[in-house]
Amino acid sequence: MKVLVTGGAGFIGTNFVLRTRATRPDWQITVLDALTYAGSRENLSPVADQIEFVRGNVADADLVDRLVADADAVVHFAAESHNDNSLDDPWPFMESNIIGTYRLLEAVRRHHVRLHHISTDEVYGDLELDDPSRFTEQTPVNPSSPYSASKASADLLVRAWIRSFGIEATLSNCSNNYGPYQHVEKFIPRQITGILQGVKPKLYGAGANVRDWIHVDDHNDAVVTILEKGRLGETYLIGADGEMNNRQIVALLLELMGKPADWFDLVPDRPGHDMRYAIDSSKLRAETGWTPKYQDIRAGLTQTIEWYRANEAWWTRDKERTEQAYQRLGR
Ligand code: NAD
Ligand code: TDX
């Protein structure tokens, strides 16, 4: 199978390409990535001679048409992905996430190519802390930030192209990922790399917001499962029952990295900050048999901390610029 992976040089895409080279060696992989600040071609150097790499924009209609025409399936990870950036400058999110997805949809429609669209639980808005419910495939979209609104827009386009044009597509909405190769702007790597540099973790607001954490390998295994066993036209929620509040995550990182439990700062909150995400992934589990392998976040975080410790050169180049940007935002 010839698979076009968009955004394959970013956090989840890199892990997807490295992992599927090992688990699906018969797949021929082409990566399309614009190499924004969030993507790095070096991430793919272990498999550089086994894949094709194209630097380009998913919003470039001609390029996307050419690459899709040559593929059997597309896995669409490419997106601007950071909420804080979307609050600072929404436009790149509109172009990459909405127009980029539209260009892909038109290309898969023309060439009858299978598409799997990667999305996020953030499209469903947020839940209260004391609400026992979780998001399901029936939850109405209700996004809060320019980022999540752009992802919800893309999801709605995919659903419309399925219904109106009969394209062969599936969608998945996953909860918060952690693991190797995640950009230092994101919560967990920001705190791990800060602690490694002797800087206290920074919690937004009171640190009470809850996220539903999943290891990136479990997300990517679910994506492969949906490609191989998912029903066309369907949406699947991906989650590993990993709800924790941000204070609890920081407490675990401090313990695992040998720092006192009170060694953190509270900083001004993110505007519009979603309170809680929680995923009910029983549809995916019942239909495909997928289950997460990382049942224990302690083990997953230990592996992630070790990766950042061992790969300092990978993250130091982005760390200073990222922290300068946070300083401008007061966070
Ligand atoms: P990331 O920011 O680490 O990587 C995004 C990649 O896409 C980068 O390599 C970047 O260069 C590339 N890219 C951005 N705009 C592009 C464009 N216009 N054309 C081509 N390439 C472009 O993001 P990530 O965390 O790996 O997220 C990947 C996907 O997974 C996104 O669609 C995101 O919405 C979704 N997702 C992420 C999470 C999470 O916790 N990180 C959870 C659920 C869903
Ligand atoms: O320094 C910080 N301190 C802090 O308390 C940062 C960077 C974040 N936070 C909080 C905000 C959130 O409650 O931690 C939580 C996680 O923040 P992010 O890593 O920015 O993730 P989030 O906003 O939840 O979105 C993530 O999950 C869904 C990804 O970035 C998205 O791409 C994905 O769609």
Side-chain angles (χ1 to χ4, degrees), residues 80-84 119-122 147 151 174-177 182 184-191 202-205 207 209-211 213 246 267 270 273-275 277 326 331:
E80 287 290 333
S81 68
H82 194 39
N83 275 299
D84 288 314
S119 191
T120 166
D121 58 359
E122 295 194 18
Y147 163 67
K151 292 297 292 188
C174 188
S175 60
N176 282 62
N177 286 219
Q182 188 167 29
V184 290
E185 69 192 354
K186 302 298 193 318
F187 178 52
I188 287 178
R190 185 183 188 200
Q191 315 314 339
K202 293 182 167 54
L203 281 165
Y204 291 175
N209 305 64
V210 170
R211 296 295 183 264
W213 293 99
N246 296 336
V267 299
R270 170 188 285 172
H273 194 176
D274 281 339
M275 188 46 83
Y277 305 138
Y326 274 125
R331 294 198 279 281

mmCIF file of all heavy atoms in Angstrom, residues 80-84 119-122 147 151 174-177 182 184-191 202-205 207 209-211 213 246 267 270 273-275 277 326 331, ligand 2:
data_model
loop_
_atom_site.group_PDB
_atom_site.id
_atom_site.type_symbol
_atom_site.label_atom_id
_atom_site.label_comp_id
_atom_site.label_asym_id
_atom_site.label_seq_id
_atom_site.Cartn_x
_atom_site.Cartn_y
_atom_site.Cartn_z
ATOM 1 N N GLU A 80 -1.601 23.140 12.109
ATOM 2 C CA GLU A 80 -1.104 23.949 13.218
ATOM 3 C C GLU A 80 -1.783 23.389 14.454
ATOM 4 O O GLU A 80 -3.002 23.171 14.445
ATOM 5 C CB GLU A 80 -1.478 25.419 13.014
ATOM 6 C CG GLU A 80 -0.679 26.107 11.922
ATOM 7 C CD GLU A 80 0.783 26.322 12.298
ATOM 8 O OE1 GLU A 80 1.087 26.419 13.502
ATOM 9 O OE2 GLU A 80 1.620 26.388 11.381
ATOM 10 N N SER A 81 -1.023 23.173 15.539
ATOM 11 C CA SER A 81 -1.571 22.347 16.622
ATOM 12 C C SER A 81 -1.579 22.977 18.012
ATOM 13 O O SER A 81 -2.025 22.328 18.956
ATOM 14 C CB SER A 81 -0.778 21.033 16.703
ATOM 15 O OG SER A 81 0.541 21.297 17.154
ATOM 16 N N HIS A 82 -1.098 24.214 18.147
ATOM 17 C CA HIS A 82 -0.978 24.719 19.527
ATOM 18 C C HIS A 82 -1.974 25.834 19.841
ATOM 19 O O HIS A 82 -1.942 26.904 19.231
ATOM 20 C CB HIS A 82 0.448 25.194 19.780
ATOM 21 C CG HIS A 82 0.726 25.411 21.243
ATOM 22 N ND1 HIS A 82 0.254 24.579 22.232
ATOM 23 C CD2 HIS A 82 1.433 26.364 21.885
ATOM 24 C CE1 HIS A 82 0.650 25.013 23.411
ATOM 25 N NE2 HIS A 82 1.365 26.099 23.237
ATOM 26 N N ASN A 83 -2.813 25.573 20.848
ATOM 27 C CA ASN A 83 -3.848 26.530 21.246
ATOM 28 C C ASN A 83 -3.298 27.927 21.538
ATOM 29 O O ASN A 83 -3.874 28.928 21.103
ATOM 30 C CB ASN A 83 -4.558 26.023 22.505
ATOM 31 C CG ASN A 83 -5.668 25.059 22.154
ATOM 32 O OD1 ASN A 83 -6.604 25.424 21.455
ATOM 33 N ND2 ASN A 83 -5.557 23.838 22.610
ATOM 34 N N ASP A 84 -2.211 27.998 22.302
ATOM 35 C CA ASP A 84 -1.682 29.317 22.671
ATOM 36 C C ASP A 84 -1.295 30.118 21.427
ATOM 37 O O ASP A 84 -1.521 31.324 21.350
ATOM 38 C CB ASP A 84 -0.471 29.167 23.605
ATOM 39 C CG ASP A 84 -0.869 28.694 25.002
ATOM 40 O OD1 ASP A 84 -1.841 29.238 25.556
ATOM 41 O OD2 ASP A 84 -0.219 27.784 25.536
ATOM 42 N N SER A 119 -8.079 14.041 14.015
ATOM 43 C CA SER A 119 -8.560 15.217 14.733
ATOM 44 C C SER A 119 -8.444 15.021 16.246
ATOM 45 O O SER A 119 -7.812 14.073 16.720
ATOM 46 C CB SER A 119 -9.984 15.564 14.300
ATOM 47 O OG SER A 119 -10.341 16.838 14.817
ATOM 48 N N THR A 120 -9.054 15.944 16.962
ATOM 49 C CA THR A 120 -8.820 16.082 18.395
ATOM 50 C C THR A 120 -10.131 16.090 19.167
ATOM 51 O O THR A 120 -11.171 16.496 18.624
ATOM 52 C CB THR A 120 -8.049 17.404 18.646
ATOM 53 O OG1 THR A 120 -8.095 17.720 20.035
ATOM 54 C CG2 THR A 120 -8.670 18.576 17.893
ATOM 55 N N ASP A 121 -10.058 15.720 20.448
ATOM 56 C CA ASP A 121 -11.256 15.798 21.291
ATOM 57 C C ASP A 121 -11.660 17.245 21.562
ATOM 58 O O ASP A 121 -12.786 17.499 22.017
ATOM 59 C CB ASP A 121 -11.044 15.037 22.613
ATOM 60 C CG ASP A 121 -9.862 15.525 23.437
ATOM 61 O OD1 ASP A 121 -9.155 16.457 22.995
ATOM 62 O OD2 ASP A 121 -9.654 14.980 24.547
ATOM 63 N N GLU A 122 -10.755 18.190 21.295
ATOM 64 C CA GLU A 122 -11.064 19.592 21.601
ATOM 65 C C GLU A 122 -12.220 20.141 20.777
ATOM 66 O O GLU A 122 -12.783 21.179 21.121
ATOM 67 C CB GLU A 122 -9.844 20.475 21.360
ATOM 68 C CG GLU A 122 -8.728 20.151 22.295
ATOM 69 C CD GLU A 122 -7.663 21.212 22.315
ATOM 70 O OE1 GLU A 122 -7.924 22.350 21.875
ATOM 71 O OE2 GLU A 122 -6.564 20.900 22.780
ATOM 72 N N TYR A 147 -7.841 27.351 17.356
ATOM 73 C CA TYR A 147 -7.324 26.030 16.964
ATOM 74 C C TYR A 147 -8.452 24.995 16.906
ATOM 75 O O TYR A 147 -8.644 24.331 15.881
ATOM 76 C CB TYR A 147 -6.235 25.560 17.942
ATOM 77 C CG TYR A 147 -5.962 24.072 17.847
ATOM 78 C CD1 TYR A 147 -5.393 23.519 16.706
ATOM 79 C CD2 TYR A 147 -6.293 23.202 18.894
ATOM 80 C CE1 TYR A 147 -5.165 22.154 16.604
ATOM 81 C CE2 TYR A 147 -6.065 21.835 18.803
ATOM 82 C CZ TYR A 147 -5.501 21.314 17.651
ATOM 83 O OH TYR A 147 -5.283 19.962 17.550
ATOM 84 N N LYS A 151 -10.114 22.882 13.705
ATOM 85 C CA LYS A 151 -10.175 21.418 13.598
ATOM 86 C C LYS A 151 -11.633 20.952 13.445
ATOM 87 O O LYS A 151 -11.913 20.032 12.669
ATOM 88 C CB LYS A 151 -9.534 20.764 14.826
ATOM 89 C CG LYS A 151 -8.029 20.951 14.944
ATOM 90 C CD LYS A 151 -7.214 20.331 13.824
ATOM 91 C CE LYS A 151 -7.243 18.824 13.813
ATOM 92 N NZ LYS A 151 -6.284 18.259 12.816
ATOM 93 N N CYS A 174 -8.779 12.235 18.938
ATOM 94 C CA CYS A 174 -7.988 11.658 20.025
ATOM 95 C C CYS A 174 -7.796 12.685 21.144
ATOM 96 O O CYS A 174 -7.853 13.895 20.929
ATOM 97 C CB CYS A 174 -6.621 11.218 19.485
ATOM 98 S SG CYS A 174 -5.638 10.295 20.685
ATOM 99 N N SER A 175 -7.530 12.174 22.329
ATOM 100 C CA SER A 175 -7.255 13.028 23.486
ATOM 101 C C SER A 175 -5.781 13.457 23.489
ATOM 102 O O SER A 175 -5.043 13.168 22.541
ATOM 103 C CB SER A 175 -7.609 12.262 24.758
ATOM 104 O OG SER A 175 -6.816 11.096 24.826
ATOM 105 N N ASN A 176 -5.353 14.123 24.565
ATOM 106 C CA ASN A 176 -3.991 14.683 24.636
ATOM 107 C C ASN A 176 -2.903 13.608 24.566
ATOM 108 O O ASN A 176 -2.880 12.699 25.387
ATOM 109 C CB ASN A 176 -3.797 15.439 25.956
ATOM 110 C CG ASN A 176 -4.432 16.799 25.940
ATOM 111 O OD1 ASN A 176 -5.641 16.914 25.792
ATOM 112 N ND2 ASN A 176 -3.626 17.842 26.085
ATOM 113 N N ASN A 177 -1.993 13.773 23.608
ATOM 114 C CA ASN A 177 -0.878 12.841 23.442
ATOM 115 C C ASN A 177 0.349 13.298 24.214
ATOM 116 O O ASN A 177 0.591 14.500 24.353
ATOM 117 C CB ASN A 177 -0.450 12.784 21.967
ATOM 118 C CG ASN A 177 -1.394 12.023 21.064
ATOM 119 O OD1 ASN A 177 -0.953 11.314 20.177
ATOM 120 N ND2 ASN A 177 -2.702 12.148 21.254
ATOM 121 N N GLN A 182 7.751 15.479 21.067
ATOM 122 C CA GLN A 182 6.719 16.520 21.184
ATOM 123 C C GLN A 182 7.393 17.872 21.389
ATOM 124 O O GLN A 182 8.342 18.006 22.173
ATOM 125 C CB GLN A 182 5.762 16.214 22.344
ATOM 126 C CG GLN A 182 4.565 17.166 22.360
ATOM 127 C CD GLN A 182 3.432 16.727 23.291
ATOM 128 O OE1 GLN A 182 3.682 16.061 24.286
ATOM 129 N NE2 GLN A 182 2.212 17.092 22.955
ATOM 130 N N VAL A 184 8.537 21.528 22.524
ATOM 131 C CA VAL A 184 8.672 22.051 23.902
ATOM 132 C C VAL A 184 7.642 23.127 24.245
ATOM 133 O O VAL A 184 7.574 23.567 25.389
ATOM 134 C CB VAL A 184 10.090 22.614 24.175
ATOM 135 C CG1 VAL A 184 11.106 21.484 24.223
ATOM 136 C CG2 VAL A 184 10.470 23.669 23.146
ATOM 137 N N GLU A 185 6.830 23.545 23.283
ATOM 138 C CA GLU A 185 5.752 24.490 23.613
ATOM 139 C C GLU A 185 4.614 23.804 24.376
ATOM 140 O O GLU A 185 3.848 24.468 25.071
ATOM 141 C CB GLU A 185 5.180 25.113 22.329
ATOM 142 C CG GLU A 185 4.407 24.106 21.478
ATOM 143 C CD GLU A 185 4.060 24.575 20.086
ATOM 144 O OE1 GLU A 185 4.300 25.747 19.759
ATOM 145 O OE2 GLU A 185 3.565 23.742 19.293
ATOM 146 N N LYS A 186 4.484 22.465 24.226
ATOM 147 C CA LYS A 186 3.360 21.744 24.824
ATOM 148 C C LYS A 186 3.625 21.479 26.308
ATOM 149 O O LYS A 186 4.769 21.460 26.767
ATOM 150 C CB LYS A 186 3.109 20.426 24.071
ATOM 151 C CG LYS A 186 2.828 20.590 22.566
ATOM 152 C CD LYS A 186 1.586 21.381 22.294
ATOM 153 C CE LYS A 186 1.050 21.342 20.874
ATOM 154 N NZ LYS A 186 1.952 21.419 19.753
ATOM 155 N N PHE A 187 2.565 21.246 27.062
ATOM 156 C CA PHE A 187 2.611 21.205 28.530
ATOM 157 C C PHE A 187 3.684 20.262 29.082
ATOM 158 O O PHE A 187 4.567 20.685 29.838
ATOM 159 C CB PHE A 187 1.232 20.788 29.050
ATOM 160 C CG PHE A 187 1.135 20.651 30.530
ATOM 161 C CD1 PHE A 187 1.536 21.676 31.381
ATOM 162 C CD2 PHE A 187 0.617 19.485 31.096
ATOM 163 C CE1 PHE A 187 1.421 21.545 32.763
ATOM 164 C CE2 PHE A 187 0.504 19.359 32.470
ATOM 165 C CZ PHE A 187 0.904 20.382 33.303
ATOM 166 N N ILE A 188 3.616 18.982 28.733
ATOM 167 C CA ILE A 188 4.522 18.008 29.376
ATOM 168 C C ILE A 188 5.979 18.243 28.974
ATOM 169 O O ILE A 188 6.846 18.371 29.856
ATOM 170 C CB ILE A 188 4.024 16.558 29.130
ATOM 171 C CG1 ILE A 188 2.770 16.329 30.003
ATOM 172 C CG2 ILE A 188 5.104 15.528 29.439
ATOM 173 C CD1 ILE A 188 2.107 14.966 29.851
ATOM 174 N N PRO A 189 6.307 18.380 27.681
ATOM 175 C CA PRO A 189 7.721 18.646 27.355
ATOM 176 C C PRO A 189 8.216 19.994 27.884
ATOM 177 O O PRO A 189 9.386 20.117 28.233
ATOM 178 C CB PRO A 189 7.769 18.625 25.824
ATOM 179 C CG PRO A 189 6.434 18.253 25.359
ATOM 180 C CD PRO A 189 5.492 18.119 26.490
ATOM 181 N N ARG A 190 7.318 20.991 27.959
ATOM 182 C CA ARG A 190 7.757 22.286 28.505
ATOM 183 C C ARG A 190 8.243 22.095 29.943
ATOM 184 O O ARG A 190 9.278 22.632 30.333
ATOM 185 C CB ARG A 190 6.614 23.307 28.470
ATOM 186 C CG ARG A 190 7.079 24.688 28.914
ATOM 187 C CD ARG A 190 5.974 25.719 28.977
ATOM 188 N NE ARG A 190 6.536 27.040 29.217
ATOM 189 C CZ ARG A 190 5.866 28.079 29.692
ATOM 190 N NH1 ARG A 190 4.575 27.971 29.951
ATOM 191 N NH2 ARG A 190 6.462 29.230 29.893
ATOM 192 N N GLN A 191 7.493 21.305 30.712
ATOM 193 C CA GLN A 191 7.871 21.149 32.123
ATOM 194 C C GLN A 191 9.086 20.234 32.262
ATOM 195 O O GLN A 191 9.990 20.533 33.046
ATOM 196 C CB GLN A 191 6.683 20.600 32.934
ATOM 197 C CG GLN A 191 5.334 21.255 32.668
ATOM 198 C CD GLN A 191 5.345 22.780 32.631
ATOM 199 O OE1 GLN A 191 6.242 23.436 33.171
ATOM 200 N NE2 GLN A 191 4.345 23.373 31.967
ATOM 201 N N LYS A 202 5.407 25.486 35.172
ATOM 202 C CA LYS A 202 4.480 26.623 35.166
ATOM 203 C C LYS A 202 3.068 26.113 34.909
ATOM 204 O O LYS A 202 2.764 25.603 33.827
ATOM 205 C CB LYS A 202 4.880 27.615 34.083
ATOM 206 C CG LYS A 202 6.211 28.287 34.387
ATOM 207 C CD LYS A 202 6.564 29.301 33.329
ATOM 208 C CE LYS A 202 7.712 30.195 33.760
ATOM 209 N NZ LYS A 202 8.918 29.452 34.178
ATOM 210 N N LEU A 203 2.214 26.280 35.918
ATOM 211 C CA LEU A 203 0.822 25.835 35.798
ATOM 212 C C LEU A 203 -0.067 27.028 35.489
ATOM 213 O O LEU A 203 -0.023 28.049 36.201
ATOM 214 C CB LEU A 203 0.375 25.194 37.110
ATOM 215 C CG LEU A 203 0.836 23.752 37.333
ATOM 216 C CD1 LEU A 203 0.663 23.355 38.794
ATOM 217 C CD2 LEU A 203 0.044 22.806 36.431
ATOM 218 N N TYR A 204 -0.896 26.897 34.463
ATOM 219 C CA TYR A 204 -1.852 27.960 34.127
ATOM 220 C C TYR A 204 -2.960 27.996 35.183
ATOM 221 O O TYR A 204 -3.507 26.936 35.546
ATOM 222 C CB TYR A 204 -2.512 27.694 32.775
ATOM 223 C CG TYR A 204 -1.618 27.821 31.564
ATOM 224 C CD1 TYR A 204 -2.113 27.502 30.291
ATOM 225 C CD2 TYR A 204 -0.301 28.275 31.648
ATOM 226 C CE1 TYR A 204 -1.340 27.612 29.164
ATOM 227 C CE2 TYR A 204 0.492 28.388 30.514
ATOM 228 C CZ TYR A 204 -0.027 28.055 29.272
ATOM 229 O OH TYR A 204 0.742 28.164 28.139
ATOM 230 N N GLY A 205 -3.333 29.203 35.607
ATOM 231 C CA GLY A 205 -4.453 29.351 36.541
ATOM 232 C C GLY A 205 -4.162 28.622 37.839
ATOM 233 O O GLY A 205 -3.094 28.762 38.428
ATOM 234 N N GLY A 207 -4.218 25.289 37.976
ATOM 235 C CA GLY A 207 -3.713 23.946 37.653
ATOM 236 C C GLY A 207 -4.776 22.868 37.778
ATOM 237 O O GLY A 207 -4.469 21.680 37.829
ATOM 238 N N ASN A 209 -7.262 22.206 35.591
ATOM 239 C CA ASN A 209 -7.812 21.696 34.330
ATOM 240 C C ASN A 209 -7.408 20.247 34.112
ATOM 241 O O ASN A 209 -6.270 19.865 34.372
ATOM 242 C CB ASN A 209 -7.327 22.563 33.161
ATOM 243 C CG ASN A 209 -7.653 24.024 33.384
ATOM 244 O OD1 ASN A 209 -7.150 24.633 34.327
ATOM 245 N ND2 ASN A 209 -8.513 24.576 32.554
ATOM 246 N N VAL A 210 -8.359 19.476 33.572
ATOM 247 C CA VAL A 210 -8.138 18.037 33.397
ATOM 248 C C VAL A 210 -7.946 17.703 31.919
ATOM 249 O O VAL A 210 -8.704 18.187 31.063
ATOM 250 C CB VAL A 210 -9.346 17.246 33.959
ATOM 251 C CG1 VAL A 210 -9.261 15.766 33.586
ATOM 252 C CG2 VAL A 210 -9.420 17.417 35.470
ATOM 253 N N ARG A 211 -6.938 16.902 31.626
ATOM 254 C CA ARG A 211 -6.742 16.374 30.283
ATOM 255 C C ARG A 211 -6.725 14.850 30.371
ATOM 256 O O ARG A 211 -6.401 14.279 31.407
ATOM 257 C CB ARG A 211 -5.402 16.881 29.692
ATOM 258 C CG ARG A 211 -5.370 18.417 29.496
ATOM 259 C CD ARG A 211 -6.378 18.841 28.461
ATOM 260 N NE ARG A 211 -6.403 20.269 28.142
ATOM 261 C CZ ARG A 211 -7.243 21.154 28.696
ATOM 262 N NH1 ARG A 211 -8.088 20.772 29.632
ATOM 263 N NH2 ARG A 211 -7.243 22.411 28.310
ATOM 264 N N TRP A 213 -4.903 11.827 29.128
ATOM 265 C CA TRP A 213 -3.617 11.584 28.462
ATOM 266 C C TRP A 213 -3.524 10.209 27.820
ATOM 267 O O TRP A 213 -4.009 9.214 28.365
ATOM 268 C CB TRP A 213 -2.469 11.774 29.464
ATOM 269 C CG TRP A 213 -2.361 13.212 29.883
ATOM 270 C CD1 TRP A 213 -2.861 13.767 31.033
ATOM 271 C CD2 TRP A 213 -1.786 14.284 29.133
ATOM 272 N NE1 TRP A 213 -2.600 15.137 31.031
ATOM 273 C CE2 TRP A 213 -1.952 15.473 29.891
ATOM 274 C CE3 TRP A 213 -1.140 14.373 27.888
ATOM 275 C CZ2 TRP A 213 -1.499 16.726 29.452
ATOM 276 C CZ3 TRP A 213 -0.686 15.613 27.455
ATOM 277 C CH2 TRP A 213 -0.861 16.763 28.221
ATOM 278 N N ASN A 246 -3.757 19.074 35.759
ATOM 279 C CA ASN A 246 -2.396 19.515 35.452
ATOM 280 C C ASN A 246 -1.500 19.503 36.690
ATOM 281 O O ASN A 246 -0.304 19.240 36.595
ATOM 282 C CB ASN A 246 -2.438 20.903 34.804
ATOM 283 C CG ASN A 246 -3.154 20.868 33.470
ATOM 284 O OD1 ASN A 246 -3.233 19.823 32.820
ATOM 285 N ND2 ASN A 246 -3.711 22.011 33.046
ATOM 286 N N VAL A 267 0.963 30.531 36.976
ATOM 287 C CA VAL A 267 1.107 31.685 36.068
ATOM 288 C C VAL A 267 -0.280 32.064 35.540
ATOM 289 O O VAL A 267 -1.229 31.275 35.673
ATOM 290 C CB VAL A 267 2.093 31.376 34.901
ATOM 291 C CG1 VAL A 267 3.485 31.065 35.429
ATOM 292 C CG2 VAL A 267 1.586 30.236 34.021
ATOM 293 N N ARG A 270 -4.623 30.742 30.511
ATOM 294 C CA ARG A 270 -4.866 30.868 29.061
ATOM 295 C C ARG A 270 -6.295 31.390 28.877
ATOM 296 O O ARG A 270 -7.231 30.841 29.485
ATOM 297 C CB ARG A 270 -4.718 29.479 28.453
ATOM 298 C CG ARG A 270 -5.160 29.354 27.012
ATOM 299 C CD ARG A 270 -5.157 27.881 26.584
ATOM 300 N NE ARG A 270 -3.834 27.362 26.348
ATOM 301 C CZ ARG A 270 -3.556 26.066 26.123
ATOM 302 N NH1 ARG A 270 -4.520 25.172 26.105
ATOM 303 N NH2 ARG A 270 -2.325 25.662 25.909
ATOM 304 N N HIS A 273 -9.643 29.000 28.475
ATOM 305 C CA HIS A 273 -9.041 27.698 28.800
ATOM 306 C C HIS A 273 -10.095 26.610 29.069
ATOM 307 O O HIS A 273 -10.836 26.686 30.048
ATOM 308 C CB HIS A 273 -8.167 27.904 30.040
ATOM 309 C CG HIS A 273 -7.228 26.783 30.337
ATOM 310 N ND1 HIS A 273 -6.326 26.833 31.363
ATOM 311 C CD2 HIS A 273 -7.032 25.584 29.737
ATOM 312 C CE1 HIS A 273 -5.626 25.732 31.402
ATOM 313 N NE2 HIS A 273 -6.039 24.950 30.423
ATOM 314 N N ASP A 274 -10.130 25.581 28.224
ATOM 315 C CA ASP A 274 -11.072 24.476 28.429
ATOM 316 C C ASP A 274 -10.798 23.780 29.758
ATOM 317 O O ASP A 274 -9.645 23.489 30.084
ATOM 318 C CB ASP A 274 -10.936 23.442 27.299
ATOM 319 C CG ASP A 274 -11.653 23.874 26.026
ATOM 320 O OD1 ASP A 274 -12.555 24.736 26.115
ATOM 321 O OD2 ASP A 274 -11.309 23.350 24.945
ATOM 322 N N MET A 275 -11.875 23.479 30.504
ATOM 323 C CA MET A 275 -11.697 22.913 31.848
ATOM 324 C C MET A 275 -11.325 21.435 31.822
ATOM 325 O O MET A 275 -10.364 21.029 32.444
ATOM 326 C CB MET A 275 -13.002 23.117 32.659
ATOM 327 C CG MET A 275 -12.867 22.752 34.115
ATOM 328 S SD MET A 275 -11.368 23.390 34.916
ATOM 329 C CE MET A 275 -11.840 25.043 35.340
ATOM 330 N N TYR A 277 -11.335 17.578 29.435
ATOM 331 C CA TYR A 277 -11.635 16.694 28.307
ATOM 332 C C TYR A 277 -11.680 15.267 28.832
ATOM 333 O O TYR A 277 -10.879 14.890 29.695
ATOM 334 C CB TYR A 277 -10.532 16.739 27.230
ATOM 335 C CG TYR A 277 -10.189 18.095 26.675
ATOM 336 C CD1 TYR A 277 -8.854 18.436 26.451
ATOM 337 C CD2 TYR A 277 -11.166 19.025 26.342
ATOM 338 C CE1 TYR A 277 -8.513 19.669 25.917
ATOM 339 C CE2 TYR A 277 -10.821 20.259 25.810
ATOM 340 C CZ TYR A 277 -9.493 20.579 25.603
ATOM 341 O OH TYR A 277 -9.148 21.783 25.078
ATOM 342 N N TYR A 326 6.454 32.711 25.204
ATOM 343 C CA TYR A 326 5.609 32.613 26.400
ATOM 344 C C TYR A 326 5.753 33.859 27.270
ATOM 345 O O TYR A 326 4.771 34.331 27.854
ATOM 346 C CB TYR A 326 5.948 31.356 27.206
ATOM 347 C CG TYR A 326 5.202 30.125 26.739
ATOM 348 C CD1 TYR A 326 5.879 28.971 26.376
ATOM 349 C CD2 TYR A 326 3.817 30.124 26.665
ATOM 350 C CE1 TYR A 326 5.198 27.844 25.951
ATOM 351 C CE2 TYR A 326 3.126 29.012 26.243
ATOM 352 C CZ TYR A 326 3.819 27.866 25.877
ATOM 353 O OH TYR A 326 3.134 26.764 25.461
ATOM 354 N N ARG A 331 2.908 34.078 30.108
ATOM 355 C CA ARG A 331 2.687 32.739 30.662
ATOM 356 C C ARG A 331 3.997 31.977 30.731
ATOM 357 O O ARG A 331 4.072 30.861 30.910
ATOM 358 C CB ARG A 331 1.682 31.972 29.788
ATOM 359 C CG ARG A 331 0.287 32.569 29.811
ATOM 360 C CD ARG A 331 -0.768 31.613 29.323
ATOM 361 N NE ARG A 331 -0.873 31.517 27.888
ATOM 362 C CZ ARG A 331 -1.490 32.387 27.102
ATOM 363 N NH1 ARG A 331 -2.020 33.484 27.608
ATOM 364 N NH2 ARG A 331 -1.566 32.192 25.806
HETATM 365 O O1 TDX B 2 3.000 25.770 30.467
HETATM 366 C C1 TDX B 2 1.863 25.286 30.449
HETATM 367 N N1 TDX B 2 1.159 25.188 31.617
HETATM 368 C C2 TDX B 2 -0.088 24.652 31.672
HETATM 369 O O2 TDX B 2 -0.685 24.591 32.767
HETATM 370 C C3 TDX B 2 1.250 24.811 29.218
HETATM 371 C C4 TDX B 2 1.990 24.913 27.916
HETATM 372 C C5 TDX B 2 -0.013 24.273 29.307
HETATM 373 N N2 TDX B 2 -0.670 24.197 30.486
HETATM 374 C C6 TDX B 2 -1.994 23.549 30.548
HETATM 375 C C7 TDX B 2 -3.003 23.958 29.508
HETATM 376 C C8 TDX B 2 -3.824 22.678 29.347
HETATM 377 O O3 TDX B 2 -4.793 22.606 30.383
HETATM 378 O O4 TDX B 2 -1.752 22.164 30.313
HETATM 379 C C9 TDX B 2 -2.812 21.567 29.557
HETATM 380 C C10 TDX B 2 -2.250 20.995 28.262
HETATM 381 O O5 TDX B 2 -1.831 22.090 27.477
HETATM 382 P P1 TDX B 2 -1.268 21.893 25.964
HETATM 383 O O6 TDX B 2 -0.111 20.974 25.984
HETATM 384 O O7 TDX B 2 -1.101 23.236 25.364
HETATM 385 O O8 TDX B 2 -2.446 21.057 25.305
HETATM 386 P P2 TDX B 2 -4.001 21.360 25.002
HETATM 387 O O9 TDX B 2 -4.277 22.814 24.947
HETATM 388 O O10 TDX B 2 -4.794 20.521 25.966
HETATM 389 O O11 TDX B 2 -4.103 20.746 23.516
HETATM 390 C C11 TDX B 2 -3.438 19.514 23.195
HETATM 391 O O12 TDX B 2 -4.336 18.434 23.144
HETATM 392 C C12 TDX B 2 -5.241 18.394 22.080
HETATM 393 C C13 TDX B 2 -2.676 19.604 21.870
HETATM 394 O O13 TDX B 2 -1.773 20.698 21.917
HETATM 395 C C14 TDX B 2 -3.623 19.728 20.707
HETATM 396 O O14 TDX B 2 -2.908 19.708 19.489
HETATM 397 C C15 TDX B 2 -4.572 18.573 20.743
HETATM 398 O O15 TDX B 2 -5.540 18.746 19.756
#
